[in-house]
C-alpha cells in the first residue's frame, strides 16, 4: 500500500530511493556520571578502549576509500579516535569512578578547549575532536554515529532539519533527495538543496514516521513523499531521469517575442561575482554587502570596504551592479549595529532602520561604495533594504546624492512600500522586490518557522498582488516610469519567473545556478502569454492553485524536469 | 637516553597531515618517544605518537623540537623521526 505525505517542495526533481534517517545528535552525558553498579573501573576502561578502537577502525576504513583532502582529514580523525593521551586522561577519570561516556566527554573537552585557545587553524580542529568524541560516545551507547549516515547505495536523507554543519559533509553523489519534517522554503536545507540541485521537500511533518530502508518517491515539484511507490510514481521518476538537459545560459534573458528580461545574479563576495560572471549573468541584481561585516565586532575600515566592493565591480566591468546597503538585524545581528534584546527582531530596527539608531555606518558605507565605483566601469546602483515609507526613500536618495552615487533605489519588502509604491519609487530611480521578506511580512509568518511554511510561499496570490502594485507604482512614478526588479528566491523558480515578467517586473536576479532554467523557460513564452499566466495566478485562491494553474500551462517545465 | 633536535619543515607547521604522518610513524615503533619544544623541561615532554598532543604543541614552521627515547634502537628510530619532521610534507 502506498502512503502519501505532504510538505513544501523547495527544489525540483523526482526520484525514488531508500530512506536513511539523520541520527539524533549525541546528547552530553551527565557531568561526572558514576560507573554503573557492579562494573569495575578495569571493565569500564576496557569497554572505552574497545570503543575508541572500533571508531578509529571505522574512520580508517573510510579514509582508505576516500581521496585527496577528505582522505587526509579522515586519517587524522582516525588517529584522534585512537589517541593514546586522550585515552589515558579518560582512563584516569574512569579509575576515579566516572563512567566511560562522561570520562571521554570530559577528556575530549579539555583537548578541544586547549586547541580552541591556540586560535586559527587549530581552533578549527577542535570541532574534529568534538566530532570524534560524539562518535565514541555513540559507539559506547550502541546508537548510530552522528552526521550524514554512511550507506553503500545512494539514499533519500530524512532529517528533522539540517544545519550548516550537517550539510558540510553532504555528498550529492550519495544523497538522492532531502526530506525534512521541519524547516521552511528559506531554511538552510532548502538553500543547500537548490545549490546542489537535489530534489527537496521541507515541512513534511508526518514524515517523522519514515524509517531506515523505507522506499520512497520524492516529488520536489509537487511537494509530496510517497512511501511504497507504485507504477505511477515509477513512471514520473523515470520521466524525470530522462529529462532533457538544460542548455547553458547564453547570457541574454529574452522572451520568445524578443522582449528583453535581463537575468542578473545575487552575489555575496568578489569570488561569488566571478563565478556569476562566468555563468553568464548579465550583471548583479543584488550584492549583499553583509559579507564584509558579518562575524565582526567592529565596523570594517573604509579601505577594507572599498577593496571588497571593487572586487565585485571588476568582475562585472561595463554591466550593472546593484549594491544593497548593509542589511543587519533579525537573523543577521551585528554587535556594533543591532540590539539583540529586541523581543521581535524581524519587526525591529533592521535594514535601513539601523541608520537612525546608529548614524554614520551607512554614510561611511556609501562613501566606500562611491570610491570603489570610481575605479571601475561597472554601472553601480545602490539600494536600501527595509524601506517602509516615501520619506525613508527620499532620505536615502539624499544620502546617495551626497556620496556622489547617482542611481539610488529601494528594496520593496515591507507591504506598506508595495501599497505606496508610486510615492515611494517617485523618490528614487528604481525598486527591487525582496520576495522572501515581502512574503513573510504579507503573510505575517516567520520565515524560520516550519509549521508556517505553507504561508511562506511566494506563490501566495496576496504576495503576487503586492508585486503587481509595486510594478504599477513604478510605471506611474513621478518623472516617468522606473524599473522594478525582483531579487528574491521567487526569481529562481522558472514558472514563477514567467508570472513575475507578466506582472511587469523588468529584471530578475537569482542564484547563478538558476540562470539556465529560468532563461530556458522564459524563451518559451511571449509577453502576452506571460501576462495571461500572471492574471491566472492573481485570480487563484491559494498558492497551490496558482502554481498548478501556471505549471499546467507551461508543459516545457516537464521537458527539462523543472 | 637518546635525544635529537629537529626543526619543523612543513610550511603549515606540525598540523594536520604532517602531524598525522609523524604520529603514525611514532606509534609504529616499539619505543616510547617524547616530543617537547626546545628548552622545555623533560617532564613536560609529550607523547610523540599522540596526534592531539602534537597539535597542542602548536609547533610552527621553523620551531625547534626535542625528541627523546630510551632503549634498543632508539638512535636509529629518532633519526627516522627527525627525517619526517625536517621534510616539507605540504610541498609533495
Amino acid at each position: 500500500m502506498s502512503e502519501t505525505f505532504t510538505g513544501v517542495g523547495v527544489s525540483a526533481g523526482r526520484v525514488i530511493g531508500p530512506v536513511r534517517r539523520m541520527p539524533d545528535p549525541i546528547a552530553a552525558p551527565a557531568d561526572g556520571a558514576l560507573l554503573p553498579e557492579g562494573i569495575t573501573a578495569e571493565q569500564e576502561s576496557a569497554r572505552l578502549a574497545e570503543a575508541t578502537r572500533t571508531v578509529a577502525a571505522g574512520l580508517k576504513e573510510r579514509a582508505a576509500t576516500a581521496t585527496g583532502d577528505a582522505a587526509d582529514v579522515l586519517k587524522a580523525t582516525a588517529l584522534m579516535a585512537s589517541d593514546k593521551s586522550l585515552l589515558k586522561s579518560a582512563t584516569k577519570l574512569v579509575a576515579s569512578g566516572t563512567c566511560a561516556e562522561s570520562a571521554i566527554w570530559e577528556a575530549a573537552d579539555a583537548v578541544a578547549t586547549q586547541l580552541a585557545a591556540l586560535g586559527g587553524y587549530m581552533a578549527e580542529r577542535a570541532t574534529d575532536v568534538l566530532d570524534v568524541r560524539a562518535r565514541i560516545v555513540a559507539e559506547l551507547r550502541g546508537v548510530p554515529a552522528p552526521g550524514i549516515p554512511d550507506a553503500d547505495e545512494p539514499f533519500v536523507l530524512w532529517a528533522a532539519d539540517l544545519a550548516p554543519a550537517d550539510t558540510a559533509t553532504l555528498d550529492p553523489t550519495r544523497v538522492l533527495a532531502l526530506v525534512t519534517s521541519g524547516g521552511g522554503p528559506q531554511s538552510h536545507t532548502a538553500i543547500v538543496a537548490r545549490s546542489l540541485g537535489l530534489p527537496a521537500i521541507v515541512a513534511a511533518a508526518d514524515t517523522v514516521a519514515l524509517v531506515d530502508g523505507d522506499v520512497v518517491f520524492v516529488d520536489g515539484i509537487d511537494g509530496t513523499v510517497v512511501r511504497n511507490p507504485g507504477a505511477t510514481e515509477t513512471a514520473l521518476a523515470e520521466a524525470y531521469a530522462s529529462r532533457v538537459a538544460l542548455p547553458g545560459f547564453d547570457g541574454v534573458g529574452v522572451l520568445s517575442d524578443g522582449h528583453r528580461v535581463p537575468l542578473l545574479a545575487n552575489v555575496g563576495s568578489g569570488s561569488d561575482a566571478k563565478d556569476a560572471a562566468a555563468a553568464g549573468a548579465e550583471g548583479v541584481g543584488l550584492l549583499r554587502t553583509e559579507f564584509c561585516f558579518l562575524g565582526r565586532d567592529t565596523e570594517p575600515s573604509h579601505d577594507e570596504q572599498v577593496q571588497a566592493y571593487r572586487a565585485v565591480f571588476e568582475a562585472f566591468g561595463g554591466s550593472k551592479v546593484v549594491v544593497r546597503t548593509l542589511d543587519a538585524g533579525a537573523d543577521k545581528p551585528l554587535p556594533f549595529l543591532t540590539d539583540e534584546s529586541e523581543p521581535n527582531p524581524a519587526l525591529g530596527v533592521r535594514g535601513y532602520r539601523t541608520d537612525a539608531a546608529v548614524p554614520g555606518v551607512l554614510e561611511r558605507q556609501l562613501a566606500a561604495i562611491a570610491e570603489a565605483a570610481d575605479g571601475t566601469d561597472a554601472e553601480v546602483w545602490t539600494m536600501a533594504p527595509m524601506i517602509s515609507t516615501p520619506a525613508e526613500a527620499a532620505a536615502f536618495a539624499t544620502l546617495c546624492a551626497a556620496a556622489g552615487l547617482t542611481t539610488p533605489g529601494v528594496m520593496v519588502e515591507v507591504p506598506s512600500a508595495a501599497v505606496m509604491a508610486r510615492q515611494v519609487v517617485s523618490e528614487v530611480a528604481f525598486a527591487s522586490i525582496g520576495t522572501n521578506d515581502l512574503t513573510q511580512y504579507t503573510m505575517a509568518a516567520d520565515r524560520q518557522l516550519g509549521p508556517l511554511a505553507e504561508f511562506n510561499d511566494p506563490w501566495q496570490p496576496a504576495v503576487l498582488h503586492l508585486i503587481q502594485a509595486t510594478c504599477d507604482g513604478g510605471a506611474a512614478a513621478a518623472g516617468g516610469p522606473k524599473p522594478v526588479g525582483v531579487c528574491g528566491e521567487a526569481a529562481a523558480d522558472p514558472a514563477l519567473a514567467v508570472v513575475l515578467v507578466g506582472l511587469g517586473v523588468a529584471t530578475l536576479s537569482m542564484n547563478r545556478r538558476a540562470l539556465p532554467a529560468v532563461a530556458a523557460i522564459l524563451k518559451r513564452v511571449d509577453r502576452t502569454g506571460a501576462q495571461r499566466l500572471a492574471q491566472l495566478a492573481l485570480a487563484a485562491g491559494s498558492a497551490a492553485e496558482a502554481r498548478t494553474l501556471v505549471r499546467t500551462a507551461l508543459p516545457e517545465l516537464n521537458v527539462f524536469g523543472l | 637516553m637518546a635525544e635529537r633536535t629537529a626543526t619543523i619543515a612543513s610550511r603549515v607547521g606540525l598540523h594536520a597531515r604532517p602531524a598525522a604522518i609523524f604520529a603514525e610513524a611514532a606509534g609504529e615503533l616499539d619505543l616510547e618517544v617524547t616530543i617537547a619544544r626546545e628548552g622545555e623541561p623533560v617532564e613536560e615532554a609529550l607523547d610523540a605518537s599522540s596526534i592531539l598532543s602534537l597539535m597542542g604543541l602548536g609547533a610552527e614552521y621553523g620551531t625547534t623540537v626535542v625528541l627523546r627515547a630510551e632503549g634498543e634502537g632508539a638512535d636509529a628510530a629518532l633519526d627516522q623521526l627527525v627525517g619526517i619532521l625536517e621534510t616539507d610534507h605540504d610541498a609533495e
Side-chain angles (χ1 to χ4, degrees), chain A residues 72 75 79-80 83-86 114-115 118 121-122 125 129, chain B residues 14-17 20 24 47 49-53 55-56 58:
Chain A
D72 286 340
K75 202 170 157 193
L79 284 169
M80 287 180 195
D83 194 276
K84 277 196 285 178
S85 66
L86 175 64
Q114 187 198 355
L115 291 179
L118 289 172
Y121 176 85
M122 281 301 147
R125 297 284 76 73
V129 175
Chain B
L14 195 48
H15 306 162
R17 208 160 92 86
E24 206 172 20
D47 183 347
S49 69
S50 159
I51 188 168
L52 295 174
S53 299
M55 286 164 51

PDB file of all heavy atoms in Angstrom, chain A residues 72 75 79-80 83-86 114-115 118 121-122 125 129, chain B residues 14-17 20 24 47 49-53 55-56 58:
ATOM      1  N   ASP A  72      42.786  12.675   3.902  1.00  0.00           N
ATOM      2  CA  ASP A  72      43.692  13.190   4.931  1.00  0.00           C
ATOM      3  C   ASP A  72      42.945  13.532   6.214  1.00  0.00           C
ATOM      4  O   ASP A  72      43.401  13.224   7.316  1.00  0.00           O
ATOM      5  CB  ASP A  72      44.410  14.455   4.430  1.00  0.00           C
ATOM      6  CG  ASP A  72      45.495  14.112   3.414  1.00  0.00           C
ATOM      7  OD1 ASP A  72      45.919  12.943   3.405  1.00  0.00           O
ATOM      8  OD2 ASP A  72      45.898  15.004   2.650  1.00  0.00           O
ATOM      9  N   LYS A  75      41.859  10.367   7.963  1.00  0.00           N
ATOM     10  CA  LYS A  75      43.000   9.678   8.552  1.00  0.00           C
ATOM     11  C   LYS A  75      43.394  10.359   9.872  1.00  0.00           C
ATOM     12  O   LYS A  75      43.615   9.699  10.883  1.00  0.00           O
ATOM     13  CB  LYS A  75      44.173   9.716   7.563  1.00  0.00           C
ATOM     14  CG  LYS A  75      45.182   8.639   7.799  1.00  0.00           C
ATOM     15  CD  LYS A  75      46.159   8.587   6.637  1.00  0.00           C
ATOM     16  CE  LYS A  75      47.460   7.938   7.062  1.00  0.00           C
ATOM     17  NZ  LYS A  75      48.523   8.140   6.090  1.00  0.00           N
ATOM     18  N   LEU A  79      43.214   8.890  13.778  1.00  0.00           N
ATOM     19  CA  LEU A  79      44.299   8.947  14.757  1.00  0.00           C
ATOM     20  C   LEU A  79      43.833   9.601  16.055  1.00  0.00           C
ATOM     21  O   LEU A  79      44.247   9.216  17.143  1.00  0.00           O
ATOM     22  CB  LEU A  79      45.493   9.712  14.187  1.00  0.00           C
ATOM     23  CG  LEU A  79      46.354   8.956  13.166  1.00  0.00           C
ATOM     24  CD1 LEU A  79      47.324   9.898  12.475  1.00  0.00           C
ATOM     25  CD2 LEU A  79      47.126   7.827  13.863  1.00  0.00           C
ATOM     26  N   MET A  80      42.960  10.596  15.927  1.00  0.00           N
ATOM     27  CA  MET A  80      42.427  11.258  17.135  1.00  0.00           C
ATOM     28  C   MET A  80      41.610  10.271  17.953  1.00  0.00           C
ATOM     29  O   MET A  80      41.674  10.255  19.182  1.00  0.00           O
ATOM     30  CB  MET A  80      41.530  12.429  16.760  1.00  0.00           C
ATOM     31  CG  MET A  80      42.279  13.631  16.239  1.00  0.00           C
ATOM     32  SD  MET A  80      41.089  14.946  15.848  1.00  0.00           S
ATOM     33  CE  MET A  80      42.133  16.010  14.878  1.00  0.00           C
ATOM     34  N   ASP A  83      43.790   8.076  19.906  1.00  0.00           N
ATOM     35  CA  ASP A  83      44.896   8.818  20.513  1.00  0.00           C
ATOM     36  C   ASP A  83      45.183   8.323  21.929  1.00  0.00           C
ATOM     37  O   ASP A  83      44.290   8.243  22.776  1.00  0.00           O
ATOM     38  CB  ASP A  83      44.556  10.305  20.545  1.00  0.00           C
ATOM     39  CG  ASP A  83      45.769  11.150  20.849  1.00  0.00           C
ATOM     40  OD1 ASP A  83      46.095  11.313  22.048  1.00  0.00           O
ATOM     41  OD2 ASP A  83      46.399  11.628  19.898  1.00  0.00           O
ATOM     42  N   LYS A  84      46.480   8.013  22.170  1.00  0.00           N
ATOM     43  CA  LYS A  84      46.856   7.447  23.465  1.00  0.00           C
ATOM     44  C   LYS A  84      46.676   8.435  24.621  1.00  0.00           C
ATOM     45  O   LYS A  84      46.254   8.071  25.704  1.00  0.00           O
ATOM     46  CB  LYS A  84      48.302   6.952  23.420  1.00  0.00           C
ATOM     47  CG  LYS A  84      48.406   5.558  22.816  1.00  0.00           C
ATOM     48  CD  LYS A  84      49.746   4.906  23.125  1.00  0.00           C
ATOM     49  CE  LYS A  84      50.850   5.499  22.269  1.00  0.00           C
ATOM     50  NZ  LYS A  84      52.176   4.961  22.528  1.00  0.00           N
ATOM     51  N   SER A  85      47.030   9.695  24.374  1.00  0.00           N
ATOM     52  CA  SER A  85      46.963  10.638  25.501  1.00  0.00           C
ATOM     53  C   SER A  85      45.511  10.953  25.866  1.00  0.00           C
ATOM     54  O   SER A  85      45.184  11.150  27.028  1.00  0.00           O
ATOM     55  CB  SER A  85      47.756  11.908  25.200  1.00  0.00           C
ATOM     56  OG  SER A  85      47.165  12.621  24.153  1.00  0.00           O
ATOM     57  N   LEU A  86      44.642  10.962  24.847  1.00  0.00           N
ATOM     58  CA  LEU A  86      43.213  11.195  25.125  1.00  0.00           C
ATOM     59  C   LEU A  86      42.661  10.018  25.941  1.00  0.00           C
ATOM     60  O   LEU A  86      41.988  10.211  26.960  1.00  0.00           O
ATOM     61  CB  LEU A  86      42.442  11.333  23.805  1.00  0.00           C
ATOM     62  CG  LEU A  86      40.921  11.463  23.921  1.00  0.00           C
ATOM     63  CD1 LEU A  86      40.530  12.735  24.645  1.00  0.00           C
ATOM     64  CD2 LEU A  86      40.263  11.420  22.546  1.00  0.00           C
ATOM     65  N   GLN A 114      41.772  23.437  24.731  1.00  0.00           N
ATOM     66  CA  GLN A 114      43.176  23.801  24.542  1.00  0.00           C
ATOM     67  C   GLN A 114      43.432  24.188  23.073  1.00  0.00           C
ATOM     68  O   GLN A 114      44.093  25.193  22.796  1.00  0.00           O
ATOM     69  CB  GLN A 114      44.037  22.599  24.930  1.00  0.00           C
ATOM     70  CG  GLN A 114      45.526  22.881  24.952  1.00  0.00           C
ATOM     71  CD  GLN A 114      46.333  21.579  24.913  1.00  0.00           C
ATOM     72  OE1 GLN A 114      45.767  20.489  24.958  1.00  0.00           O
ATOM     73  NE2 GLN A 114      47.627  21.703  24.820  1.00  0.00           N
ATOM     74  N   LEU A 115      42.902  23.408  22.141  1.00  0.00           N
ATOM     75  CA  LEU A 115      43.096  23.708  20.721  1.00  0.00           C
ATOM     76  C   LEU A 115      42.411  25.014  20.343  1.00  0.00           C
ATOM     77  O   LEU A 115      42.955  25.822  19.595  1.00  0.00           O
ATOM     78  CB  LEU A 115      42.549  22.564  19.845  1.00  0.00           C
ATOM     79  CG  LEU A 115      43.315  21.248  19.897  1.00  0.00           C
ATOM     80  CD1 LEU A 115      42.648  20.215  18.994  1.00  0.00           C
ATOM     81  CD2 LEU A 115      44.768  21.433  19.470  1.00  0.00           C
ATOM     82  N   LEU A 118      44.411  27.995  21.009  1.00  0.00           N
ATOM     83  CA  LEU A 118      45.537  28.266  20.101  1.00  0.00           C
ATOM     84  C   LEU A 118      45.095  29.136  18.920  1.00  0.00           C
ATOM     85  O   LEU A 118      45.916  29.765  18.256  1.00  0.00           O
ATOM     86  CB  LEU A 118      46.132  26.959  19.572  1.00  0.00           C
ATOM     87  CG  LEU A 118      46.918  26.101  20.571  1.00  0.00           C
ATOM     88  CD1 LEU A 118      47.259  24.765  19.931  1.00  0.00           C
ATOM     89  CD2 LEU A 118      48.193  26.806  21.013  1.00  0.00           C
ATOM     90  N   TYR A 121      43.905  27.912  12.686  1.00  0.00           N
ATOM     91  CA  TYR A 121      43.721  26.577  12.139  1.00  0.00           C
ATOM     92  C   TYR A 121      43.433  25.549  13.226  1.00  0.00           C
ATOM     93  O   TYR A 121      42.587  24.682  13.075  1.00  0.00           O
ATOM     94  CB  TYR A 121      44.975  26.182  11.363  1.00  0.00           C
ATOM     95  CG  TYR A 121      44.941  24.783  10.832  1.00  0.00           C
ATOM     96  CD1 TYR A 121      44.336  24.520   9.611  1.00  0.00           C
ATOM     97  CD2 TYR A 121      45.474  23.737  11.560  1.00  0.00           C
ATOM     98  CE1 TYR A 121      44.276  23.234   9.126  1.00  0.00           C
ATOM     99  CE2 TYR A 121      45.416  22.448  11.084  1.00  0.00           C
ATOM    100  CZ  TYR A 121      44.816  22.192   9.867  1.00  0.00           C
ATOM    101  OH  TYR A 121      44.752  20.921   9.405  1.00  0.00           O
ATOM    102  N   MET A 122      44.169  25.655  14.339  1.00  0.00           N
ATOM    103  CA  MET A 122      43.999  24.701  15.435  1.00  0.00           C
ATOM    104  C   MET A 122      42.606  24.775  16.032  1.00  0.00           C
ATOM    105  O   MET A 122      42.029  23.763  16.414  1.00  0.00           O
ATOM    106  CB  MET A 122      45.023  24.974  16.541  1.00  0.00           C
ATOM    107  CG  MET A 122      46.374  24.443  16.213  1.00  0.00           C
ATOM    108  SD  MET A 122      46.277  22.672  15.940  1.00  0.00           S
ATOM    109  CE  MET A 122      47.509  22.501  14.734  1.00  0.00           C
ATOM    110  N   ARG A 125      40.289  22.696  14.300  1.00  0.00           N
ATOM    111  CA  ARG A 125      40.448  21.254  14.571  1.00  0.00           C
ATOM    112  C   ARG A 125      39.709  20.849  15.846  1.00  0.00           C
ATOM    113  O   ARG A 125      39.423  19.675  16.048  1.00  0.00           O
ATOM    114  CB  ARG A 125      41.931  20.885  14.679  1.00  0.00           C
ATOM    115  CG  ARG A 125      42.711  21.116  13.401  1.00  0.00           C
ATOM    116  CD  ARG A 125      42.461  20.052  12.353  1.00  0.00           C
ATOM    117  NE  ARG A 125      41.187  20.143  11.652  1.00  0.00           N
ATOM    118  CZ  ARG A 125      40.904  21.063  10.733  1.00  0.00           C
ATOM    119  NH1 ARG A 125      41.769  22.002  10.413  1.00  0.00           N
ATOM    120  NH2 ARG A 125      39.751  21.067  10.138  1.00  0.00           N
ATOM    121  N   VAL A 129      37.804  17.192  17.066  1.00  0.00           N
ATOM    122  CA  VAL A 129      37.922  16.455  18.327  1.00  0.00           C
ATOM    123  C   VAL A 129      36.519  16.194  18.900  1.00  0.00           C
ATOM    124  O   VAL A 129      36.217  15.095  19.368  1.00  0.00           O
ATOM    125  CB  VAL A 129      38.781  17.237  19.342  1.00  0.00           C
ATOM    126  CG1 VAL A 129      38.809  16.525  20.685  1.00  0.00           C
ATOM    127  CG2 VAL A 129      40.203  17.417  18.811  1.00  0.00           C
TER     128      VAL A 129
ATOM    129  N   LEU B  14      53.402  21.830  12.488  1.00  0.00           N
ATOM    130  CA  LEU B  14      53.136  20.425  12.803  1.00  0.00           C
ATOM    131  C   LEU B  14      51.635  20.232  13.018  1.00  0.00           C
ATOM    132  O   LEU B  14      51.168  20.033  14.131  1.00  0.00           O
ATOM    133  CB  LEU B  14      53.937  20.020  14.049  1.00  0.00           C
ATOM    134  CG  LEU B  14      54.061  18.506  14.325  1.00  0.00           C
ATOM    135  CD1 LEU B  14      54.464  17.738  13.088  1.00  0.00           C
ATOM    136  CD2 LEU B  14      55.047  18.260  15.447  1.00  0.00           C
ATOM    137  N   HIS B  15      50.885  20.378  11.923  1.00  0.00           N
ATOM    138  CA  HIS B  15      49.424  20.301  11.982  1.00  0.00           C
ATOM    139  C   HIS B  15      48.958  19.245  10.998  1.00  0.00           C
ATOM    140  O   HIS B  15      49.699  18.873  10.102  1.00  0.00           O
ATOM    141  CB  HIS B  15      48.782  21.619  11.534  1.00  0.00           C
ATOM    142  CG  HIS B  15      49.274  22.820  12.254  1.00  0.00           C
ATOM    143  ND1 HIS B  15      49.095  24.079  11.765  1.00  0.00           N
ATOM    144  CD2 HIS B  15      49.947  22.958  13.415  1.00  0.00           C
ATOM    145  CE1 HIS B  15      49.617  24.942  12.601  1.00  0.00           C
ATOM    146  NE2 HIS B  15      50.148  24.292  13.604  1.00  0.00           N
ATOM    147  N   ALA B  16      47.712  18.862  11.138  1.00  0.00           N
ATOM    148  CA  ALA B  16      47.016  18.070  10.127  1.00  0.00           C
ATOM    149  C   ALA B  16      47.864  16.960   9.534  1.00  0.00           C
ATOM    150  O   ALA B  16      48.317  16.082  10.252  1.00  0.00           O
ATOM    151  CB  ALA B  16      46.490  18.994   9.039  1.00  0.00           C
ATOM    152  N   ARG B  17      48.123  17.029   8.230  1.00  0.00           N
ATOM    153  CA  ARG B  17      48.788  15.931   7.534  1.00  0.00           C
ATOM    154  C   ARG B  17      50.176  15.649   8.102  1.00  0.00           C
ATOM    155  O   ARG B  17      50.483  14.497   8.425  1.00  0.00           O
ATOM    156  CB  ARG B  17      48.864  16.246   6.037  1.00  0.00           C
ATOM    157  CG  ARG B  17      48.889  15.021   5.169  1.00  0.00           C
ATOM    158  CD  ARG B  17      48.475  15.397   3.764  1.00  0.00           C
ATOM    159  NE  ARG B  17      49.646  15.727   2.963  1.00  0.00           N
ATOM    160  CZ  ARG B  17      50.354  14.804   2.319  1.00  0.00           C
ATOM    161  NH1 ARG B  17      50.036  13.542   2.400  1.00  0.00           N
ATOM    162  NH2 ARG B  17      51.388  15.143   1.589  1.00  0.00           N
ATOM    163  N   ALA B  20      49.807  13.943  11.358  1.00  0.00           N
ATOM    164  CA  ALA B  20      49.285  12.587  11.223  1.00  0.00           C
ATOM    165  C   ALA B  20      50.394  11.628  10.780  1.00  0.00           C
ATOM    166  O   ALA B  20      50.529  10.531  11.323  1.00  0.00           O
ATOM    167  CB  ALA B  20      48.127  12.563  10.216  1.00  0.00           C
ATOM    168  N   GLU B  24      51.743   8.716  13.326  1.00  0.00           N
ATOM    169  CA  GLU B  24      51.593   7.338  12.873  1.00  0.00           C
ATOM    170  C   GLU B  24      52.948   6.615  12.922  1.00  0.00           C
ATOM    171  O   GLU B  24      53.045   5.489  13.415  1.00  0.00           O
ATOM    172  CB  GLU B  24      51.030   7.321  11.455  1.00  0.00           C
ATOM    173  CG  GLU B  24      50.270   6.055  11.155  1.00  0.00           C
ATOM    174  CD  GLU B  24      49.542   6.131   9.809  1.00  0.00           C
ATOM    175  OE1 GLU B  24      49.921   6.974   8.970  1.00  0.00           O
ATOM    176  OE2 GLU B  24      48.610   5.338   9.614  1.00  0.00           O
ATOM    177  N   ASP B  47      53.758  12.750  24.571  1.00  0.00           N
ATOM    178  CA  ASP B  47      53.805  11.510  23.809  1.00  0.00           C
ATOM    179  C   ASP B  47      53.837  11.829  22.307  1.00  0.00           C
ATOM    180  O   ASP B  47      52.905  12.425  21.772  1.00  0.00           O
ATOM    181  CB  ASP B  47      52.553  10.696  24.158  1.00  0.00           C
ATOM    182  CG  ASP B  47      52.534   9.341  23.471  1.00  0.00           C
ATOM    183  OD1 ASP B  47      53.348   9.129  22.545  1.00  0.00           O
ATOM    184  OD2 ASP B  47      51.716   8.500  23.875  1.00  0.00           O
ATOM    185  N   SER B  49      53.473   9.938  19.816  1.00  0.00           N
ATOM    186  CA  SER B  49      52.539   9.194  18.961  1.00  0.00           C
ATOM    187  C   SER B  49      51.106   9.701  19.117  1.00  0.00           C
ATOM    188  O   SER B  49      50.188   9.159  18.519  1.00  0.00           O
ATOM    189  CB  SER B  49      52.595   7.702  19.299  1.00  0.00           C
ATOM    190  OG  SER B  49      52.045   7.492  20.587  1.00  0.00           O
ATOM    191  N   SER B  50      50.925  10.752  19.930  1.00  0.00           N
ATOM    192  CA  SER B  50      49.575  11.299  20.124  1.00  0.00           C
ATOM    193  C   SER B  50      49.370  12.504  19.221  1.00  0.00           C
ATOM    194  O   SER B  50      50.010  13.543  19.386  1.00  0.00           O
ATOM    195  CB  SER B  50      49.384  11.706  21.585  1.00  0.00           C
ATOM    196  OG  SER B  50      48.332  12.648  21.683  1.00  0.00           O
ATOM    197  N   ILE B  51      48.460  12.381  18.252  1.00  0.00           N
ATOM    198  CA  ILE B  51      48.229  13.485  17.309  1.00  0.00           C
ATOM    199  C   ILE B  51      47.680  14.705  18.045  1.00  0.00           C
ATOM    200  O   ILE B  51      48.002  15.846  17.716  1.00  0.00           O
ATOM    201  CB  ILE B  51      47.307  13.051  16.142  1.00  0.00           C
ATOM    202  CG1 ILE B  51      47.259  14.170  15.088  1.00  0.00           C
ATOM    203  CG2 ILE B  51      45.902  12.704  16.625  1.00  0.00           C
ATOM    204  CD1 ILE B  51      46.629  13.763  13.794  1.00  0.00           C
ATOM    205  N   LEU B  52      46.890  14.441  19.090  1.00  0.00           N
ATOM    206  CA  LEU B  52      46.312  15.573  19.831  1.00  0.00           C
ATOM    207  C   LEU B  52      47.393  16.328  20.602  1.00  0.00           C
ATOM    208  O   LEU B  52      47.387  17.562  20.657  1.00  0.00           O
ATOM    209  CB  LEU B  52      45.212  15.086  20.772  1.00  0.00           C
ATOM    210  CG  LEU B  52      43.991  14.493  20.063  1.00  0.00           C
ATOM    211  CD1 LEU B  52      43.014  13.905  21.065  1.00  0.00           C
ATOM    212  CD2 LEU B  52      43.296  15.553  19.216  1.00  0.00           C
ATOM    213  N   SER B  53      48.373  15.583  21.181  1.00  0.00           N
ATOM    214  CA  SER B  53      49.473  16.243  21.878  1.00  0.00           C
ATOM    215  C   SER B  53      50.298  17.067  20.886  1.00  0.00           C
ATOM    216  O   SER B  53      50.686  18.194  21.168  1.00  0.00           O
ATOM    217  CB  SER B  53      50.381  15.219  22.548  1.00  0.00           C
ATOM    218  OG  SER B  53      49.651  14.485  23.498  1.00  0.00           O
ATOM    219  N   MET B  55      49.338  18.416  18.083  1.00  0.00           N
ATOM    220  CA  MET B  55      48.603  19.614  17.679  1.00  0.00           C
ATOM    221  C   MET B  55      48.620  20.647  18.800  1.00  0.00           C
ATOM    222  O   MET B  55      48.754  21.838  18.550  1.00  0.00           O
ATOM    223  CB  MET B  55      47.186  19.242  17.263  1.00  0.00           C
ATOM    224  CG  MET B  55      47.158  18.558  15.897  1.00  0.00           C
ATOM    225  SD  MET B  55      45.622  17.693  15.510  1.00  0.00           S
ATOM    226  CE  MET B  55      44.444  18.950  15.838  1.00  0.00           C
ATOM    227  N   GLY B  56      48.506  20.165  20.032  1.00  0.00           N
ATOM    228  CA  GLY B  56      48.507  21.071  21.184  1.00  0.00           C
ATOM    229  C   GLY B  56      49.856  21.737  21.401  1.00  0.00           C
ATOM    230  O   GLY B  56      49.947  22.790  22.037  1.00  0.00           O
ATOM    231  N   GLY B  58      51.512  23.170  19.206  1.00  0.00           N
ATOM    232  CA  GLY B  58      51.488  24.428  18.448  1.00  0.00           C
ATOM    233  C   GLY B  58      52.807  24.731  17.764  1.00  0.00           C
ATOM    234  O   GLY B  58      53.204  25.893  17.644  1.00  0.00           O
TER     235      GLY B  58
END
